Every structure is written in C-alpha cells, then in structure tokens.
Amino acid sequence: MNRNQLKIIACISMLIDHVGYVLFPDVVILRLIGRIAMPVFAFFIGEGCLYTKNKKKYFLRVFILGLLCQAVYITEGLITHSDGGAYLNILLTFSLSIILCSSYLSAASAFRSDDKRQKSRGISLFALCLILIGAICLFCEHSLELTGISIEFDYGIYGICLPLFAALSKDKTKKLLCFSLALTVSAFALYNDILFSLCALIPLVLLLFYNGKGGKANLKYFFYAFYPCHLALIYLIDMLI
C-alpha cells in the first residue's frame, strides 16, 4: 500500500472514532476502530520530518491547521458551555512532534560532522528541545492548579514522542522495529483497557505493507483539510440534533 491509501484508511478510522465520540458515545466498537488513526498519522509525521526539505514550513502548516481545528473545539465549547477548548487537538500535539523530530535530525546530522562546534550546537539544540517539551508537559500536568484550567495535549507525551521513532532511520526494517516498540509501550500506557491497547497495534500490520511510495494523486491538501472539516461537520450535526 502507498502513503495515500494508508492515510485514507486512517481518515476513515478517525471519522468513525469522532462520530462515536460525539454522536454515539455508548457504541464502543466505533472507538475501537478509531484506534487505528493516530499511529498511522504519527508514523507519517515522523517520515515527513525525515524527508521534507523545509521543516519550518512543514511545522507551520501543521501548527496553523491545529489552531483552526482548535477554533472548532472552542466554538463548540462556547455553544454547548463545555470546556473543550482546554483539550489541545492532535495536530498541536504533532506540531511539538515536528519540533522534536527536527531537532533530533539536526543533532544526528551534526554528530556525523567533524566540526566539534557543529556537534555541540546540534546536541545542545536537541537537549533544549527535550527540556522545552518536558516543561510544556509538566505545565499541562499541573495546569489546573496553576491556572484553574485543565490543559491537555491529545495523547500527551506519548503522542508527542511517537513520531520520533519513525524518524530514527530511513531503513524500513529499522524504522518499523523502532516504531513498533514505541507504539506498543504507548498503547499499553495510554489505555487501561486491553482491547483498546490491542486495537491501537493494528496499524503495525498495515504499515508492514507500506511500499514507501506516495501514490499517484497529490492528496496532501485533502488530508490537511479533512481534519477541521470533518470535525466541524460532526459538531454541527450534534448541535442540530
């Protein structure tokens, strides 16, 4: 399967998950199917960092889209008088992932250099990034005490770090092995239900069939638009019924 096909599967899974979460919260099977989406997108976020020529633009695209999606959450929260705006969506999580992956790749590149200053700068940048992300996660953990508002990134520290393991190597076998180990740890740490954890590992089977190709059609902007559009539509339906 190519990248487009895998992302389409992830989009369908995500749509089913959000329909279940918003419209049919008692139908557990919808949420189980939804566990497929995040690991697939996390894998391609890491791979995107590995191959993109302009990581700054890549970060800005994901971050700005994350802000648009957050606006949907906030709007829905204001209308329904809920506090959904304090729950930060997966694209904002992946924005931090891109920073983490980019700093790691920069450090890895610098480490291969013979220039000691370049090595030092690369390692320092990665260390600074780790400290920054650690501080952000620590702040979120204690945000209720500090601000009176509970602030939480979707999938937390596990969602932030997972894409990094898809950016560790260009070799398919090594990449899948690293990602598989990280996803297994994340799946059992995130979910208290064994069935949810096992469903979160299904993407590993799908990724075994990934051929490394993007697909004939350029669907990049479709995938970018799908997230905020499907969220807005689901919340609109929820408010109408």
Side-chain angles (χ1 to χ4, degrees):
M1 288 188 287
N2 61 45
R3 190 184 311 124
N4 283 346
Q5 291 168 333
L6 286 166
K7 283 188 175 182
I8 287 170
I9 291 171
C11 283
I12 293 170
S13 166
M14 180 169 58
L15 175 62
I16 292 170
D17 183 43
H18 290 156
V19 166
Y21 179 75
V22 177
L23 301 177
F24 305 103
D26 296 326
V27 184
V28 178
I29 186 65
L30 300 179
R31 305 305 315 285
L32 290 172
I33 294 170
R35 297 312 94 207
I36 295 171
M38 191 280 280
V40 173
F41 285 121
F43 181 86
F44 287 117
I45 285 289
E47 191 170 78
C49 289
L50 199 56
Y51 292 109
T52 189
K53 293 179 180 179
N54 193 324
K55 293 179 178 58
K56 190 177 292 185
K57 284 186 179 179
Y58 186 42
F59 164 78
L60 287 173
R61 279 199 302 268
V62 175
F63 179 67
I64 291 170
L65 193 60
L67 292 179
L68 291 175
C69 292
Q70 200 62 34
V72 174
Y73 282 123
I74 292 171
T75 302
E76 187 271 342
L78 291 173
I79 293 172
T80 61
H81 304 288
S82 67
D83 59 353
Y87 192 82
L88 304 179
N89 69 78
I90 191 63
L91 291 178
L92 295 179
T93 302
F94 284 159
S95 297
L96 291 182
S97 302
I98 293 171
I99 294 174
L100 179 62
C101 292
S102 299
S103 65
Y104 164 77
L105 291 169
S106 177
S109 176
F111 197 75
R112 290 190 292 268
S113 170
D114 294 328
D115 189 331
K116 291 184 179 180
R117 288 185 180 179
Q118 191 174 345
K119 283 184 179 180
S120 178
R121 283 196 297 267
I123 294 170
S124 298
L125 176 64
F126 185 51
L128 182 62
C129 179
L130 289 175
I131 292 169
L132 175 63
I133 289 175
I136 290 172
C137 291
L138 189 63
F139 170 77
C140 289
E141 188 178 339
H142 298 283
S143 58
L144 187 59
E145 306 161 28
L146 296 171
T147 66
I149 301 171
S150 179
I151 302 171
E152 184 179 355
F153 279 93
D154 203 8
Y155 292 97
I157 188 66
Y158 297 101
I160 294 170
C161 292
L162 186 57
L164 175 62
F165 293 88
L168 292 179
S169 175
K170 290 185 178 181
D171 180 80
K172 181 182 177 180
T173 302
K174 291 179 182 178
K175 184 190 301 186
L176 278 177
L177 180 59
C178 292
F179 189 79
S180 298
L181 291 172
L183 179 58
T184 301
V185 171
S186 299
F188 285 95
L190 285 167
Y191 306 112
N192 295 322
D193 189 306
I194 186 70
L195 192 55
F196 274 77
S197 298
L198 292 175
C199 286
L201 298 180
I202 292 174
L204 296 178
V205 179
L206 298 175
L207 290 169
L208 283 174
F209 295 96
Y210 175 45
N211 60 17
K213 298 178 181 179
K216 292 181 180 179
N218 184 1
L219 299 179
K220 179 172 69 174
Y221 293 105
F222 165 78
F223 294 125
Y224 281 134
F226 182 83
Y227 192 78
C229 290
H230 94 278
L231 279 179
L233 181 60
I234 290 171
Y235 281 122
L236 178 61
I237 292 171
D238 183 45
M239 287 185 282
L240 291 175
I241 62 176

